[in-house]
Amino acid sequence: MRSLLRNLAFSSLVLAILSSCSESLYKGYESTGQLTSNDPAEHSWFLNNTGRTLYKCSVDVYGNNFSGLLFIKPLGETHRILFITETGLKIFDMEFSRNKEMKTWYCMEALNRKTITRTLGNDLYLMLYNIADNGTAHTYTKAEDNRVFVRSEDIGGRRYCFFGRSTGKTEELVKRGSLRNKMAISFFGADGPAPDSLKLEHNNIKLTIQLNRINETGAEISE
């Protein structure tokens, strides 16, 4: 009986912590119901009509740094992301679809570990497809905030997305873990078809990705 009571008390404590963590993320926001847009992808920066985008990229993972150029290119129903050094050496080449299918066409040996490629893939997928596209997205607003907050969930987990009222574009995306934020993506710049810069950070592992857009084209992505 004592063991049962201890387990119940522990479970209640965990639920209270989870509830407080979740509520604190959107404290002061009021629910406005389900997302009114028929297409959650409208809030993503990387739509199929934006064309290819080029970024200066830096990836810090477990004490190692990889830097170079990162291309994002829509290919019909998918997006292809190519990361190369400035001398043209390929670091990784991945392709994503909204239904969370990912193909790794290439990954250099130093990064080619299942846990690393899976984490990179999940991060880049969230960067491309900010709001879950399965009808479970709910919006929240706050009078003094010029942003709308969307909570959505799919097989990849729960995510919280803030987008500007005037721009309709994502400004911040947070993915939650059991007790705290697992990772966050910040989008900066609203004057062009793609964000001027992005920063992806993890709280539980040593992985950071920094992207800065450059107005320059390079070679076409090829397999």
Side-chain angles (χ1 to χ4, degrees):
M1 179 61 72
R2 289 182 178 178
S3 176
L4 177 60
L5 290 174
R6 282 197 299 269
N7 290 336
L8 288 173
F10 178 74
S11 298
S12 298
L13 178 61
V14 170
L15 287 173
I17 294 173
L18 290 174
S19 177
S20 63
C21 289
S22 178
E23 289 296 328
S24 64
L25 185 65
Y26 51 94
K27 185 177 181 180
Y29 282 82
E30 295 182 357
S31 175
T32 58
Q34 285 197 321
L35 184 65
T36 56
S37 170
N38 292 324
D39 183 7
E42 292 177 5
H43 302 291
S44 171
W45 286 93
F46 302 101
L47 301 176
N48 286 339
N49 60 359
T50 56
R52 187 179 59 203
T53 309
L54 174 62
Y55 287 93
K56 178 82 171 178
C57 179
S58 177
V59 177
D60 291 291
V61 53
Y62 293 110
N64 298 302
N65 176 264
F66 302 88
S67 62
L69 303 175
L70 186 137
F71 296 83
I72 302 174
K73 183 176 181 180
L75 299 171
E77 298 299 317
T78 66
H79 284 78
R80 192 82 169 260
I81 295 182
L82 173 65
F83 184 26
I84 62 174
T85 66
E86 293 192 19
T87 58
L89 178 66
K90 194 179 291 188
I91 299 176
F92 63 73
D93 183 358
M94 298 179 177
E95 187 171 352
F96 303 86
S97 64
R98 177 168 283 282
N99 63 5
K100 220 172 188 300
E101 290 183 3
M102 181 185 79
K103 292 181 181 179
T104 301
W105 295 106
Y106 175 81
C107 185
M108 70 184 309
E109 186 176 356
L111 287 175
N112 198 8
R113 303 292 185 270
K114 188 174 182 179
T115 54
I116 294 177
T117 56
R118 182 174 63 242
T119 301
L120 280 172
N122 289 336
D123 290 352
L124 296 173
Y125 169 82
L126 291 173
M127 181 185 74
L128 294 171
Y129 310 112
N130 308 149
I131 300 174
D133 189 17
N134 63 354
T136 62
H138 296 269
T139 61
Y140 299 80
T141 60
K142 185 163 60 174
E144 62 271 26
D145 196 341
N146 194 36
R147 302 188 300 175
V148 176
F149 162 55
V150 178
R151 184 185 67 188
S152 61
E153 190 169 1
D154 62 7
I155 57 175
R158 179 171 290 183
R159 65 189 89 161
Y160 301 81
C161 180
F162 292 87
F163 62 90
R165 292 180 190 269
S166 58
T167 64
K169 295 297 185 181
T170 304
E171 297 178 357
E172 182 182 14
L173 185 145
V174 175
K175 184 177 180 181
R176 297 287 293 193
S178 297
L179 296 175
R180 61 177 182 173
N181 299 348
K182 286 186 67 175
M183 61 87 67
I185 307 176
S186 299
F187 300 78
F188 303 97
D191 296 330
D196 294 330
S197 63
L198 301 92
K199 188 170 186 179
L200 297 84
E201 292 184 285
H202 279 261
N203 287 334
N204 56 341
I205 60 175
K206 296 179 180 180
L207 173 59
T208 302
I209 303 174
Q210 178 72 50
L211 300 175
N212 294 288
R213 186 160 62 96
I214 53 179
N215 296 317
E216 183 177 336
T217 58
E220 290 287 341
I221 293 178
S222 59
E223 296 182 13

